Each structure stands twice: as structure tokens, then as C-alpha cells.
Amino acid sequence: MAGIGKASRGNNNMEFEDLLPVMAEKLGGEGLMKELCNGFELLMDKEKGVITLDSLRRNSAVLGLQDLREDELAAMVEEGDLDGDGALNQMEFCVLMFRLSPNLMDCSWFWLEHALHQEITAGRS
């Protein structure tokens, strides 16, 4: 499984087309982060403010993940849960999406340098 993208099942394996690099190229770093935050809000439990296994199960079709099995959904929450509370906060979700996007991680130094350059340029104004 990878970051935000299109999921399809073939030969009992989940295949995932990673769309984060395309989104990053079209939206830029700030736009990509905004879209990740929007994705988090679509998947989260509105009362708890985090993504739980239940909220992921209920809302996964919104991101084209309706074909994921229960164990795949549970593995996604478990893999992203950095603080061990059984849910994903916004930061954990964004980190997970980046970690699961190998193509975006390959370009991460470019995006970091780009963001730093923008900050330095803005600081000089």
C-alpha cells in the first residue's frame, strides 16, 4: 500500500498507484499539505478529532480505498500510530502518507530545499 492514490485488487494483492508525487508537482508543497489535511479531515472521527479504525472503515471509500480488507485498514492505523494510542492524529497521518509514497520520498530533498528557499526569500523581503 502507498500514499493517496487509486487502489485496485489483482491476484489477491492490493496494488496502489501513488498519486502524491503528481499532487506535489501540481500543487506545490503548501498545496499538497493542504490536501493531506483535507484527506485527514475526511477520514477522521469528527468527535475524537483523530482517525480511528472505525472512522477509516466508514470513510475509506471517499479516498477510493473501499476495497481494503479489515486487516489492511488495521495495519494502516497500526503502522502510522507513532504514539501508540490506537489512532492517527493529523501529524501521524501526514507522516504515514509521505512514508508510504516512495516516489515522493525520492524527491523529498528537492521539496525541503524548495521550502527552505521560499522561507529565506520571504525573510529577506
Side-chain angles (χ1 to χ4, degrees):
M1 189 159 87
I4 293 177
K6 298 177 189 174
S8 63
R9 193 177 297 284
N11 300 331
N12 294 326
N13 291 324
M14 198 66 180
E15 294 181 22
F16 205 90
E17 180 184 350
D18 184 8
L19 297 180
L20 275 184
V22 174
M23 290 173 63
E25 186 175 323
K26 288 185 178 185
L27 301 173
E30 190 173 317
L32 176 61
M33 290 309 297
K34 182 177 179 182
E35 286 304 310
L36 285 174
C37 290
N38 289 340
F40 173 80
E41 289 181 18
L42 290 172
L43 294 173
M44 77 176 187
D45 179 304
K46 305 302 184 231
E47 292 178 15
K48 296 178 182 176
V50 294
I51 297 173
T52 63
L53 180 56
D54 289 336
S55 71
L56 186 58
R57 186 184 311 113
R58 280 192 313 271
N59 302 318
S60 60
V62 173
L63 295 179
L65 303 174
Q66 66 273 5
D67 294 333
L68 290 178
R69 299 184 318 254
E70 182 77 10
D71 63 321
E72 293 170 320
L73 294 172
M76 183 177 179
V77 172
E78 184 179 325
E79 185 168 342
D81 182 16
L82 301 175
D83 61 11
D85 66 354
L88 302 177
N89 61 37
Q90 190 173 44
M91 185 271 307
E92 290 171 327
F93 174 75
C94 291
V95 168
L96 178 65
M97 292 299 101
F98 275 87
R99 280 186 33 231
L100 296 177
S101 177
N103 293 330
L104 191 59
M105 289 306 293
D106 288 344
C107 299
S108 63
W109 282 111
F110 167 78
W111 290 108
L112 177 60
E113 288 176 5
H114 179 72
L116 289 172
H117 182 267
Q118 285 182 325
E119 286 295 318
I120 291 169
T121 303
R124 291 181 185 165
S125 302

